[in-house]
Amino acid sequence: MLSLFQSVPAISTRDFAATLTTKTKVIDVRTPSEYREGHIRQAINVPLNKIANYSGKKEPLYVICQSGARSKQAAKLLTKMGYDATTIRGGMNQWQGPIQGGK
């Protein structure tokens, strides 16, 4: 269980917002219903329970969830899979930028 706390790169929502561009690759690991309630525009939804099946390009990835716990787990797994993954600390709870969705 201790391995869950292995260090993964992390960025604050404020710093992430400052680096976000249309080319930034964002993975939202929340459930589809959480994702539909509102997400960062270019974020793709890959729920945590499906992250092991992710097969995107090996480019820098930013991982977000609701509070930061699931994204940390996902970023750790993606790193083991060879991706350059960074977790977004505080998740959507702390995100101040624009969101899409919220039907």
Side-chain angles (χ1 to χ4, degrees):
M1 192 69 177
L2 197 61
S3 64
L4 279 180
F5 298 104
Q6 196 171 18
S7 180
V8 291
I11 189 170
S12 69
T13 53
R14 179 177 296 184
D15 289 345
F16 175 69
T19 62
L20 183 63
T21 70
T22 55
K23 299 209 183 321
T24 306
K25 193 70 172 189
V26 185
I27 298 177
D28 189 321
V29 295
R30 297 177 299 157
T31 64
S33 63
E34 287 175 303
Y35 178 80
R36 281 192 299 273
E37 288 172 13
H39 57 270
I40 296 170
R41 181 179 312 263
Q42 66 264 47
I44 59 166
N45 187 214
V46 182
L48 180 60
N49 64 349
K50 295 195 167 63
I51 201 73
N53 300 328
Y54 180 75
S55 61
K57 285 196 293 190
K58 302 276 180 168
E59 59 191 328
L61 302 172
Y62 291 91
V63 187
I64 195 163
C65 65
Q66 194 63 42
S67 67
R70 287 177 284 178
S71 62
K72 188 173 181 178
Q73 288 178 43
K76 183 169 183 266
L77 182 59
L78 287 163
T79 299
K80 280 185 177 169
M81 292 164 56
Y83 290 94
D84 174 8
T86 300
T87 184
I88 301 170
R89 275 195 312 269
M92 292 302 291
N93 287 342
Q94 292 184 18
W95 177 248
Q96 300 292 313
I99 61 168
Q100 185 170 314
K103 295 177 190 172

